[in-house]
mmCIF file of all heavy atoms in Angstrom:
data_model
loop_
_atom_site.group_PDB
_atom_site.id
_atom_site.type_symbol
_atom_site.label_atom_id
_atom_site.label_comp_id
_atom_site.label_asym_id
_atom_site.label_seq_id
_atom_site.Cartn_x
_atom_site.Cartn_y
_atom_site.Cartn_z
ATOM 1 N N SER A 46 113.225 -118.736 150.712
ATOM 2 C CA SER A 46 113.416 -119.084 149.301
ATOM 3 C C SER A 46 112.099 -119.261 148.532
ATOM 4 O O SER A 46 112.127 -119.708 147.390
ATOM 5 C CB SER A 46 114.253 -120.361 149.193
ATOM 6 O OG SER A 46 113.607 -121.432 149.834
ATOM 7 N N ILE A 47 110.980 -118.868 149.125
ATOM 8 C CA ILE A 47 109.706 -119.080 148.439
ATOM 9 C C ILE A 47 109.582 -118.238 147.172
ATOM 10 O O ILE A 47 109.049 -118.702 146.170
ATOM 11 C CB ILE A 47 108.495 -118.856 149.376
ATOM 12 C CG1 ILE A 47 107.238 -119.421 148.709
ATOM 13 C CG2 ILE A 47 108.347 -117.409 149.775
ATOM 14 C CD1 ILE A 47 106.080 -119.609 149.620
ATOM 15 N N ARG A 48 110.110 -117.040 147.171
ATOM 16 C CA ARG A 48 110.035 -116.206 145.955
ATOM 17 C C ARG A 48 110.826 -116.827 144.817
ATOM 18 O O ARG A 48 110.405 -116.811 143.663
ATOM 19 C CB ARG A 48 110.523 -114.798 146.239
ATOM 20 C CG ARG A 48 109.552 -114.032 147.074
ATOM 21 C CD ARG A 48 110.018 -112.659 147.388
ATOM 22 N NE ARG A 48 109.121 -112.109 148.392
ATOM 23 C CZ ARG A 48 108.787 -110.866 148.465
ATOM 24 N NH1 ARG A 48 109.280 -110.008 147.627
ATOM 25 N NH2 ARG A 48 107.967 -110.455 149.408
ATOM 26 N N GLU A 49 111.974 -117.365 145.140
ATOM 27 C CA GLU A 49 112.786 -118.037 144.119
ATOM 28 C C GLU A 49 112.083 -119.305 143.632
ATOM 29 O O GLU A 49 112.031 -119.572 142.433
ATOM 30 C CB GLU A 49 114.149 -118.378 144.695
ATOM 31 C CG GLU A 49 115.095 -119.009 143.702
ATOM 32 C CD GLU A 49 116.445 -119.323 144.313
ATOM 33 O OE1 GLU A 49 116.849 -118.646 145.274
ATOM 34 O OE2 GLU A 49 117.074 -120.272 143.831
ATOM 35 N N ALA A 50 111.533 -120.070 144.553
ATOM 36 C CA ALA A 50 110.832 -121.309 144.198
ATOM 37 C C ALA A 50 109.609 -121.024 143.331
ATOM 38 O O ALA A 50 109.284 -121.800 142.428
ATOM 39 C CB ALA A 50 110.419 -122.059 145.462
ATOM 40 N N ALA A 51 108.945 -119.905 143.586
ATOM 41 C CA ALA A 51 107.741 -119.558 142.826
ATOM 42 C C ALA A 51 108.031 -119.311 141.354
ATOM 43 O O ALA A 51 107.120 -119.353 140.530
ATOM 44 C CB ALA A 51 107.077 -118.332 143.445
ATOM 45 N N GLN A 52 109.272 -119.092 141.014
ATOM 46 C CA GLN A 52 109.643 -118.872 139.615
ATOM 47 C C GLN A 52 109.876 -120.177 138.866
ATOM 48 O O GLN A 52 110.010 -120.172 137.637
ATOM 49 C CB GLN A 52 110.892 -117.994 139.552
ATOM 50 C CG GLN A 52 110.649 -116.612 140.108
ATOM 51 C CD GLN A 52 111.916 -115.771 140.149
ATOM 52 O OE1 GLN A 52 112.895 -116.069 139.471
ATOM 53 N NE2 GLN A 52 111.892 -114.725 140.937
ATOM 54 N N GLU A 53 109.922 -121.289 139.591
ATOM 55 C CA GLU A 53 110.148 -122.591 138.962
ATOM 56 C C GLU A 53 108.890 -123.049 138.227
ATOM 57 O O GLU A 53 107.770 -122.802 138.687
ATOM 58 C CB GLU A 53 110.547 -123.625 140.014
ATOM 59 C CG GLU A 53 111.857 -123.328 140.702
ATOM 60 C CD GLU A 53 113.032 -123.369 139.741
ATOM 61 O OE1 GLU A 53 113.068 -124.248 138.861
ATOM 62 O OE2 GLU A 53 113.912 -122.507 139.869
ATOM 63 N N PRO A 54 109.044 -123.755 137.110
ATOM 64 C CA PRO A 54 107.897 -124.164 136.305
ATOM 65 C C PRO A 54 106.860 -125.021 137.053
ATOM 66 O O PRO A 54 105.680 -124.886 136.806
ATOM 67 C CB PRO A 54 108.519 -124.965 135.150
ATOM 68 C CG PRO A 54 109.950 -124.599 135.136
ATOM 69 C CD PRO A 54 110.314 -124.143 136.511
ATOM 70 N N GLY A 55 107.277 -125.871 137.951
ATOM 71 C CA GLY A 55 106.337 -126.769 138.618
ATOM 72 C C GLY A 55 105.735 -126.214 139.902
ATOM 73 O O GLY A 55 104.935 -126.893 140.550
ATOM 74 N N PHE A 56 106.073 -124.988 140.254
ATOM 75 C CA PHE A 56 105.623 -124.451 141.540
ATOM 76 C C PHE A 56 104.107 -124.365 141.632
ATOM 77 O O PHE A 56 103.514 -124.818 142.613
ATOM 78 C CB PHE A 56 106.244 -123.079 141.801
ATOM 79 C CG PHE A 56 105.844 -122.488 143.120
ATOM 80 C CD1 PHE A 56 106.460 -122.899 144.286
ATOM 81 C CD2 PHE A 56 104.841 -121.538 143.205
ATOM 82 C CE1 PHE A 56 106.103 -122.366 145.515
ATOM 83 C CE2 PHE A 56 104.468 -121.002 144.421
ATOM 84 C CZ PHE A 56 105.099 -121.414 145.577
ATOM 85 N N LEU A 57 103.459 -123.788 140.640
ATOM 86 C CA LEU A 57 102.007 -123.623 140.697
ATOM 87 C C LEU A 57 101.305 -124.975 140.737
ATOM 88 O O LEU A 57 100.330 -125.152 141.473
ATOM 89 C CB LEU A 57 101.502 -122.790 139.526
ATOM 90 C CG LEU A 57 100.010 -122.457 139.549
ATOM 91 C CD1 LEU A 57 99.597 -121.806 140.863
ATOM 92 C CD2 LEU A 57 99.652 -121.556 138.378
ATOM 93 N N ALA A 58 101.811 -125.945 139.992
ATOM 94 C CA ALA A 58 101.236 -127.284 140.050
ATOM 95 C C ALA A 58 101.375 -127.850 141.459
ATOM 96 O O ALA A 58 100.462 -128.506 141.968
ATOM 97 C CB ALA A 58 101.911 -128.208 139.032
ATOM 98 N N GLY A 59 102.493 -127.570 142.117
ATOM 99 C CA GLY A 59 102.694 -128.023 143.488
ATOM 100 C C GLY A 59 101.730 -127.372 144.462
ATOM 101 O O GLY A 59 101.237 -128.011 145.398
ATOM 102 N N VAL A 60 101.445 -126.094 144.249
ATOM 103 C CA VAL A 60 100.467 -125.396 145.093
ATOM 104 C C VAL A 60 99.091 -126.045 144.915
ATOM 105 O O VAL A 60 98.380 -126.313 145.888
ATOM 106 C CB VAL A 60 100.411 -123.892 144.760
ATOM 107 C CG1 VAL A 60 99.244 -123.217 145.474
ATOM 108 C CG2 VAL A 60 101.723 -123.216 145.120
ATOM 109 N N LEU A 61 98.728 -126.319 143.683
ATOM 110 C CA LEU A 61 97.438 -126.963 143.429
ATOM 111 C C LEU A 61 97.396 -128.370 144.017
ATOM 112 O O LEU A 61 96.370 -128.787 144.562
ATOM 113 C CB LEU A 61 97.140 -126.979 141.929
ATOM 114 C CG LEU A 61 96.905 -125.595 141.315
ATOM 115 C CD1 LEU A 61 96.804 -125.686 139.812
ATOM 116 C CD2 LEU A 61 95.676 -124.937 141.904
#
Side-chain angles (χ1 to χ4, degrees):
S46 60
I47 194 164
R48 288 179 190 214
E49 183 180 333
Q52 296 175 19
E53 296 296 320
F56 181 80
L57 185 53
V60 171
L61 293 172

